[in-house]
Amino acid sequence: DLRAPKQSGGRVLAVLGGHGGAGATTLAAATGLAAAQSDSRRRVLLIGPDETGAGIDLMLGIEDVDGPRTADLSAVGGRLSHDALHEALPHVDRRLSVLAAEPRTGRAGGHAESVVAAVDAGRAGGDVVVVDVPRTQPALRRELLHRADLIVLLSRALLPAIAATRAAHRDIGESRGQAELVLRGPAPSGVPVDEMAWAAGLPLLGYYRSDPSLPSRMESGALRPSPRSPLGVVAGRLCRRLDEAAS
């Protein structure tokens, strides 16, 4: 690390579900893919540390690829080597490395220091770091949100979901980054999305409609949204907004 050239411009995006079932893991994974396909040429580190879920690696179709998961990392003095981390982690392509949790280990939250160290290593190495922030690990959630240049809360466009997202926003506390809202439709109530954002107390960053064919496609293949799909468009918008927020 001492011999490695110093990098700059690392940035961290935190994606947080405003309520259960919002689809934050899907949005985080799509944003990681979009960042890896962008023109910035930065390496991308996608982190999904929720040990109670299926695993972000399963969503990307790399669950059988060898490489460390959160339970395998050991941060020495709170630090991890940036280059060694990228070399060891499973990859989706040359630029996208994925740190996923080992699901149902019974030790949820026990590797918070290593997860935080991975985020810090990515920033120090000039990466785009996308984190699927767990809702069930308060201490880790607090550390991850504190490091984010941009926090995106995802909510379905339903009034009960907006109420839950408003509460989640209040629970964030102080952070270095701006918190903004992405809504996932449809919106059956007919309430305009800008009014929903106002009710949630957040600036509206984007809105997209759910793709009804996505669940069936993911049953037989990995998540690979087209850049022109609703999910791909909003993922690209998050990448551009992160650049603005971190500049």
Side-chain angles (χ1 to χ4, degrees), residues 13-15 27 31 150-153 178-183 193-194 197 202-208 233-242 244-245:
L13 169 66
V15 180
L27 181 58
T31 304
L150 176 65
I151 300 169
V152 171
L153 279 90
Q178 169 78 23
E180 301 186 11
L181 177 69
V182 170
L183 286 172
V193 294
D194 57 343
L202 289 159
L204 181 63
L205 174 55
Y207 169 83
Y208 70 103
V233 168
V234 79
R237 184 174 301 166
L238 264 60
C239 293
R240 294 188 294 274
R241 181 68 185 96
L242 177 61
E244 295 171 358

